[in-house]
Structure formats: C-alpha cells, structure tokens
Amino acid sequence: MVVWERRRRLQVAARLSGGPRGRWLLLAPDGERAELAPERAWLVERAPGAEEPSSRLEVATAIDALAGRWPVDLELLWSAALDEAASRGAGSAQAAGGGQAASPEVPAGRAPASAGFTLEELARLYLGQEAPPEALLALAAQLAREAIFFEAADGRLLPRSAERVETARREASAMEARSRRLSALAAWVESLRPALARRLEGEAPPPAPPDPAAPAWIHEERLCAEARDEARALALWALHGEARTPSSELVEASGLEGPDEALELFEAAGILDQDVNETFERHELPRARSPQAVEEARRLLEERPGAALPRARAEAVGAAVLAIDSAETREVDDAVSFWREGERLWLGVHIAAPALTVPAGGALDQEAMRRGETFYFPEGVVPMFPEELVDGWLSLSETEARPAVSVYLRFDAERGELLDQELEVALLRLTARLTYEEADLAIAGAAGFPGGAPADGRPAAGARFRTLLGELRAFTERLEEGRAAAGAHRFDRSEVEVRVRDGRILVEPLYDTPARRLVAEAMVWGNHGFAGFLARARVPAPFRTSRKGEGARVSVEPGPHEVLALNPYIQATSPLRRFGDLVAQRQLIALARDASLPYDELAMGELIGHIERGMSEVRHALQTRQRYWLLRYLELHRGESFEGQAGETGGCTLPALGGLEGRLTAPARGRIRVQVAHVRPRRQSLRLKPLGAVAEEGPSGESVSPGQPASSAKNTSSGEVASSGKTPAAGEADQRPAL
C-alpha cells in the first residue's frame, strides 16, 4: 500500500505491478488509477494479512481492514494536535522574543518546515510511543477517508482551525445527505422498471387522444419522496432532452442511459402523461400565444384589413373558383380557376392573403416567425396563426369575399406553352369547396356527384364542375408531362397518413389521385408564376433552386430548379401555414402595389437563414413524432403480420406504414411477411421477425395495407415533387418534399 498527498488530501492506494517511465501505477479504493513518482510517497508498506489487492473491491476491503485493526479517534487527535501546535508556536515566539502565539494552521501556500506533523509524529502523539508500520497505514487510511480535521501539504499534516472544521463538517454532512438521496433515487428508479417491463411485454394500455398544444405535466405526487428535486430533474431531462441534462453524478445514480430511456420509464410508471408530446420541449417549439398576439388577433378580426379591395378578375369573367382539399382542412389557403378565351387557356391560382392582414413586425408576425410553420402532429394541429383568424378572415370562403393574391397564367391551348401572366391583389369569393374525393368523382364522371347549391342560393353547378375539372385535369396532365420531358424528376414512394382520433391510431395510405395531382401541378405553376414576377423586378425573395441529386437550397437570387424543370421557383402558395410563404407574399403585394418593399436584400438574407434553420428543426420534430405513433401502432398490433421489404444489411421497410424501417432478427431477402419481435416507441427502436417470403403479389406488385389482402391493395406512391401542401385530413404535414 502507498500513502501520498494530492490536492491537499492524504491518499491511500494499492501499488500495482508495472508502471511507465519508472513511475508507480496505483489503484485507489474508488477505482481511479493514478501514476506516482516514487520520491513523492510518504509511506510504502504491505498491508498485513492480505495479498496484493488488484481490484477496486480488494483495495477498499484491505483499507477497511486496516482501519478496523487500529481505530483512531480523529477528533481527539485533532484536538491534541492543535494544542501541540499552539505549544510549539508559543515556544517559538518566546524564543524569538515575541509575545503572541503563531497560528497553528497554515491555510494556503507552502507550509514551513516547522509547521504541521509528519504521519509518524501524529501517530506518536496519539499512542504515546512509536507506531508500527501497520498502525501508520491505518492512521493514513482514516485520515484519507475523513479529511475534515487535517490537510496535507509538502509531506506534513496541518490541523485545521475550529471554524474550518465546522465548515468541513457541514459540507461532509451535506454530501452524506446527498449520497442518501441519490441512493433513494436509484432505488426509486429501479422500482419503476417493472411497469416498463410489463409494457414492453405487450401490456400497453390503449392510447389517449392527447392535445398536442397542451403543456407536458409532471405528476409531482408520484416522484421520489426522499429525493423529489433530483427526481424532478430527471423528469425535466426526459421532457427537454439534452438541453436539461442533469449532473453526471445524478445521471450515474439513476442508471438511465439517456433522456429517451427516462421518458420511456416515467411514462410507463405514470410520472409523465402517456404519449406526452415532448417535441415542443426538446425542439423549443412554442405552444402558447402571448397576450399581445391574442389581443392583436382580436383587433384584426374586427378591423378586417383589405375589405375595401376590388373584386377578383376570375369572378368578373364568370370563372368558377374551386378550393379542393381534405374534408377536415381548416386553413383554406389556395384555390384554382380555369377558363378558355379563344385559342388561349387561363389558369388562375388564388392564395389567401394573410400578408394584407397581419402586419410585419407585430406580435402575430413574431410568433409566426418563431413557429416557422403550422405543426401537423398525428394527434392534432397547432396552427401558425390563431384558430379564430384561420377559421375566419384569413381563409378563403364560399360565404364572403376575402383578400387573396392571385396569379393568372395564360397558355397556348394547342401547344400548352406559357405565354403571359398577371398578378392581382383583390377580394375573392370561392364558388365552392370540394373534397378530394368529390373532385375525383367529378373527374371520373361518376353519377351522383354532390354539387349542391351554396348557402346564398346561387344555382347548383355540379355538372359544370364535372366538365371543368375533367378539362383542368387533362390540361395539368399536359403541363406535368411537359415538365417531365424537360427533365423534371418524379418521386414515387409510399406514404401514409397517421392520425390519433378518439383513442385510436389510424394509419391510412395516401393515394395519388387525379384531384391531388391536379392541385399539385396547379400550385407548382402558381409558384413558378409568382417567382417570375419577383425575379423580373429583381425583388429579393426566398427563391428555391435545386440540382438533381442534391437537396433544394434557398437564396435571395433566383435560379433553375432542375428537379421541377422550372426557372425561377418560389414557395408562396401556403402563407397561412409557412412563414417563408408569408414573407414571399409580402414582397409580392408590395410589387403589385408599386409600394416600398418590406424586406431589402440584407433583411431577406437574414430571414432565409432563420427560416431554413427553423424548418429543419420543425421537420425533424414532426418526423420523429410520426415515427413514434407508427411504432405505437405496431406496439398495439404485435400479433399481426405485415409485408416488408428486406434489405441486404439486415434492415426491413414496411411499405404499408410509409416505409417505416426496422431491423430483422434473422437474415432475409426480398418481399417477406414479418411480425413485431420487439418495439420501443420512445427509443425509436423496432425489431421484426421474418415469417417467410410473400407467396403472391397483388396487381402490379402493390404493397399491402394493414389488414388488407394483397388482391385489393392500391399503389400508395406519390408522384408529385411539390404541392399545395394538403393531405387527406386537416393538419397533416406535406405529403411531398419541400422543394
């Protein structure tokens, strides 16, 4: 055993064999290893009755045995050392002719040779005689364990003052209490694990329909009673992730690997609400609205800015203006019109104009910028703007004319060539709102198309919609084919809609229908038209460019969008739900009115950087949340089988679940049937058990939806690369990449 000093404390450790460059390699009772120059050792002695210890436990056991064989009352020794030091100091002072005794303690710096005691001197002071080596070791072990009364400096032990001993005692007491709390916390965490084990074994309760905007609650009464503050710190870590990581000491005591495991454990034990939406805390997304934003929304609803605008051209020429969306969509932010003038075809793309209502720099604008976009979670929607504005004056409507920004694109009817375009800011009233299903029936010419009369008594126009939509779909198909011939890329992939409604997780495939393709192509050309006005006028805006094989980038300068085969291009068709589109619309309105621009090039560049960083964070959060609910779906359908596509590296994707990926428990290739072997939604972990190859394919080899036989499956691929951003239900995220 070796005794030496480090950081003004005595240390005792076992000397191990070997050591670099003539130094000794030491093993302390806490498991820490250290190197020591031999000349720095105070004492080197074999512990009696023990083999050379080589593990942390053996070192601790050997030191405990030493202390037990030669117990020392350290407080009594400290008191005697103070008296002895005072006596020495008085004698030195008298010898020097001084009258006041020197302080027995040297608080800092290097101690003089006469200050303090050697280990041998302290042992002699206590025993009254020379101490054997094992007693010296025992004394050193106790001084190392309870470093309250003495501190080490330059080979000597200095007794501390009474004030410092009292302070050290308080600190030691606090550390002991902390240690007890950490032990209680560790035991409490272990007591929660059976609840998690039951859930992982398939005993998970059905999910509740959570409110995505509700705050995440920590059930304080269920926290560890003996270490409530520490337990709450772990719960905050579970919710906030790495941004609220507690001390390493606390993490080590809990035995938790990370915030995902903490979230999983606390949710299973009821410390946190089940299926709590942690993405707000982890990604610092705003939930509530400020009082200033609420008041501004109320005032704008009363003032109704833009109510005095002229009526839209589409209405003047008698064209039907149709909004085609999901039945549940609340943010009605785009519509289309289409009519013929001789050998010319006009396509109108009409966009709700929140930029006319919401002033730049106001409370609502600041909140929209912080959010970046509407949050479309499977369990519900948290809109970028307040619901009362979205449901009211900001959205396009059948019942009254509301502000809109429109681009009218004039095409050659025979060649499908874009000839001209016009920009308009006006009041627009929808002729009708149609669902995708209704529009698809009309395009197919199905009988019984529901084209009822609007609320104001205008004549029903179902037959006209059927003809109009058929012609519009044929025309947009020509436009789409023209872009494809020019090199536009087409994305074909499986996508699903995930919703949590009334305690059920609904996973439904998104079919790429004619109505969806019609709307998507119209919005692509609308964005191209808006970008053209901005580019020709050299107005800085968030233009989007791309090269094939690379992601889209945003810049104040226009450029080619090779993936779409259009130049220039911008996203401006969803200003109710994307802040970048709102910014683009403000520039468009200023251009149309020949007014000063809201953003110069410098301000636009700063906004683009903010928008892109925010969008990346939001998209990651939404993707993580959707994957969580897909894994929860599998957790509740453990016994069912799904069709998968096995890869070469042990992975497997599930087409019917939007290409959800998992790992296989055994090697497999190609199309196979799989079953859940192990799933942990909070850990984003999925393992799948192969059941065998798929014996039969459905028509054209389509993927099979959950519970759907192969013979009735449909193709769930999506062919568009950009769209108006709507999916089959209110509040779903874009079904296509943001180009």
Side-chain angles (χ1 to χ4, degrees):
M1 305 294 288
V2 178
V3 179
W4 85 105
E5 68 179 77
R6 183 173 61 176
R7 302 189 188 101
R8 304 186 73 84
R9 290 188 59 171
L10 210 60
Q11 308 285 330
V12 179
R15 177 184 171 186
L16 304 178
S17 57
R21 301 179 301 278
R23 298 168 69 87
W24 290 346
L25 183 62
L26 307 178
L27 176 64
D30 61 1
E32 184 178 354
R33 291 175 180 262
E35 294 178 12
L36 182 73
E39 61 270 18
R40 289 184 54 203
W42 285 30
L43 180 67
V44 182
E45 194 68 42
R46 178 176 294 276
E51 297 296 329
E52 180 180 345
S54 59
S55 70
R56 170 184 175 179
L57 180 60
E58 290 175 348
V59 174
T61 301
I63 291 176
D64 287 343
L66 279 170
R69 183 174 299 183
W70 293 88
V72 175
D73 185 334
L74 290 182
E75 186 168 5
L76 178 62
L77 176 59
W78 167 72
S79 179
L82 279 179
D83 292 342
E84 175 67 17
S87 174
R88 288 182 185 177
S92 299
Q94 291 170 2
Q100 184 175 358
S103 170
E105 177 185 25
V106 179
R110 295 179 63 84
S114 60
F117 303 86
T118 65
L119 193 61
E120 292 81 357
E121 288 172 343
L122 275 185
R124 189 184 311 116
L125 181 65
Y126 186 78
L127 296 175
Q129 61 184 21
E130 294 295 325
E134 61 184 85
L136 293 179
L137 274 177
L139 175 59
Q142 292 173 79
L143 288 170
R145 178 182 298 170
E146 194 172 352
I148 293 176
F149 301 103
F150 295 87
E151 64 180 33
D154 294 333
R156 306 186 75 80
L157 292 159
L158 290 80
R160 286 176 167 164
S161 67
E163 292 80 3
R164 291 192 66 192
V165 167
E166 183 59 30
T167 299
R169 275 178 166 158
R170 288 196 300 269
E171 292 174 351
S173 178
M175 290 182 62
E176 184 179 354
R178 170 77 168 171
S179 178
R180 287 196 303 270
R181 290 199 304 274
L182 292 179
S183 296
L185 182 74
W188 173 73
V189 169
E190 284 304 309
S191 73
L192 303 179
R193 293 192 181 278
L196 176 59
R198 288 192 296 271
R199 177 167 180 173
L200 295 179
E201 289 168 3
E203 300 176 15
D211 179 357
W217 293 106
I218 299 172
H219 297 282
E220 300 279 349
E221 72 279 3
R222 300 180 185 178
L223 295 177
C224 178
E226 297 84 357
R228 191 170 298 276
D229 290 344
E230 288 81 0
R232 192 171 193 278
L234 292 179
L236 289 172
W237 183 38
L239 283 175
H240 293 265
E242 301 300 337
R244 294 291 291 268
T245 301
S247 67
S248 57
E249 177 189 41
L250 184 54
V251 172
E252 182 179 357
S254 73
L256 296 168
E257 295 178 4
D260 289 335
E261 185 187 13
L263 181 59
E264 178 184 55
L265 181 65
F266 291 169
E267 185 181 68
I271 308 301
L272 298 173
D273 289 336
Q274 181 170 314
D275 299 315
V276 64
N277 191 347
E278 83 289 354
T279 54
F280 285 93
E281 284 74 22
R282 295 219 179 161
H283 297 274
E284 298 183 347
L285 306 180
R287 289 181 188 265
R289 301 191 185 276
S290 68
Q292 294 83 359
V294 173
E295 173 57 27
E296 185 179 5
R298 183 200 61 76
R299 177 175 56 80
L300 293 175
L301 277 174
E302 292 179 357
E303 295 176 356
R304 298 162 69 88
L309 288 169
R311 299 302 286 264
R313 176 185 176 187
E315 292 187 55
V317 301
V321 181
L322 305 179
I324 306 172
D325 250 316
S326 160
E328 298 181 8
T329 295
R330 297 172 63 177
E331 298 163 317
V332 186
D333 58 0
D334 63 70
V336 295
S337 60
F338 184 66
W339 71 93
R340 178 186 290 269
E341 285 183 357
E343 297 302 315
R344 303 291 184 259
L345 296 175
W346 286 91
L347 172 64
V349 177
H350 313 280
I351 308 301
L356 283 169
T357 299
V358 180
L364 285 173
D365 183 58
Q366 292 297 315
E367 285 201 355
M369 182 168 65
R370 283 197 299 272
R371 278 174 163 78
E373 64 178 58
T374 291
F375 305 146
Y376 295 113
F377 294 109
E379 57 266 48
V381 182
V382 182
M384 186 172 75
F385 290 118
E387 290 87 342
E388 57 270 24
L389 274 177
V390 171
D391 294 342
W393 185 242
L394 293 190
S395 286
L396 301 178
S397 171
E398 292 176 278
T399 59
E400 68 173 338
R402 291 178 178 169
V405 176
S406 303
V407 60
Y408 297 100
L409 305 168
R410 184 162 62 96
F411 292 88
D412 180 277
E414 182 178 349
R415 299 190 303 274
E417 177 185 349
L418 179 61
L419 303 175
D420 195 10
Q421 52 203 49
E422 298 177 6
L423 182 64
E424 176 188 69
V425 180
L427 287 177
L428 178 78
R429 179 173 180 166
L430 297 178
T431 306
R433 283 190 61 188
L434 305 177
T435 66
Y436 285 116
E437 292 76 13
E438 290 171 341
D440 280 322
L441 286 173
I443 293 170
F449 171 66
D456 65 353
R458 286 180 293 166
R464 183 157 63 98
F465 291 162
R466 187 183 309 125
T467 302
L468 171 65
L469 288 169
E471 292 178 351
L472 181 54
R473 173 54 192 146
F475 178 68
T476 55
E477 195 169 15
R478 286 178 60 193
L479 295 179
E480 187 179 359
E481 290 171 353
R483 288 194 303 106
H489 185 73
R490 175 170 174 163
F491 290 91
D492 291 308
R493 63 189 184 279
S494 299
E495 294 186 13
V496 293
E497 172 195 352
V498 184
R499 291 182 293 162
V500 182
R501 300 290 187 271
D502 300 324
R504 299 176 60 210
I505 305 173
L506 308 175
V507 180
E508 301 171 358
L510 294 181
Y511 300 129
D512 199 19
T513 69
R516 294 180 186 281
R517 298 184 73 86
L518 180 160
V519 172
E521 190 65 19
M523 295 307 123
V524 164
W525 283 92
N527 282 325
H528 173 53
F530 288 134
F533 284 105
L534 295 167
R536 285 189 294 274
R538 299 183 181 276
V539 173
F543 293 102
R544 302 186 75 86
T545 63
S546 75
R547 294 186 179 277
K548 291 184 179 179
E550 301 178 4
R553 60 184 297 268
V554 185
S555 171
V556 296
E557 296 289 337
H561 198 305
E562 294 183 0
V563 175
L564 292 175
L566 290 173
N567 184 9
Y569 194 76
I570 199 170
Q571 279 190 331
T573 53
S574 295
L576 288 183
R577 63 182 191 86
R578 284 196 301 246
F579 185 72
D581 293 41
L582 178 70
V583 167
Q585 189 178 83
R586 287 192 174 124
Q587 300 291 77
L588 282 165
I589 291 173
L591 178 62
R593 293 179 161 183
D594 196 23
S596 60
L597 296 173
Y599 312 102
D600 59 19
E601 186 170 344
L602 178 61
M604 183 60 67
E606 292 176 351
L607 271 176
I608 286 174
H610 171 82
I611 291 168
E612 287 302 291
R613 288 190 298 272
M615 292 306 94
S616 175
E617 187 75 7
V618 169
R619 287 172 189 138
H620 176 68
L622 299 181
Q623 290 167 2
T624 300
R625 191 64 179 165
Q626 171 147 320
R627 179 176 170 87
Y628 167 78
W629 280 111
L630 287 170
L631 294 173
R632 284 287 282 124
Y633 178 88
L634 288 176
E635 188 178 38
L636 298 173
H637 294 77
R638 292 173 183 268
E640 299 181 19
S641 68
F642 298 83
E643 182 180 311
Q645 181 67 41
E648 296 182 356
T649 59
C652 181
T653 61
L654 305 178
L657 295 181
L660 180 68
E661 296 182 359
R663 304 295 300 174
L664 291 172
T665 59
R669 292 284 185 88
R671 294 177 61 214
I672 58 174
R673 301 297 295 183
V674 295
Q675 196 173 49
V676 173
H678 186 68
V679 58
R680 300 181 74 169
R682 287 300 185 192
R683 307 292 292 275
Q684 299 279 300
S685 172
L686 174 64
R687 292 189 66 81
L688 300 166
K689 176 184 177 181
L691 300 179
V694 174
E696 297 181 8
E697 289 188 350
S700 304
E702 314 93 322
S703 299
V704 179
S705 301
Q708 182 181 24
S711 60
S712 64
K714 291 187 178 181
N715 192 330
T716 62
S717 66
S718 171
E720 297 295 333
V721 293
S723 76
S724 61
K726 300 299 191 302
T727 54
E732 283 87 27
D734 275 317
Q735 61 174 323
R736 299 171 176 87
L739 301 172

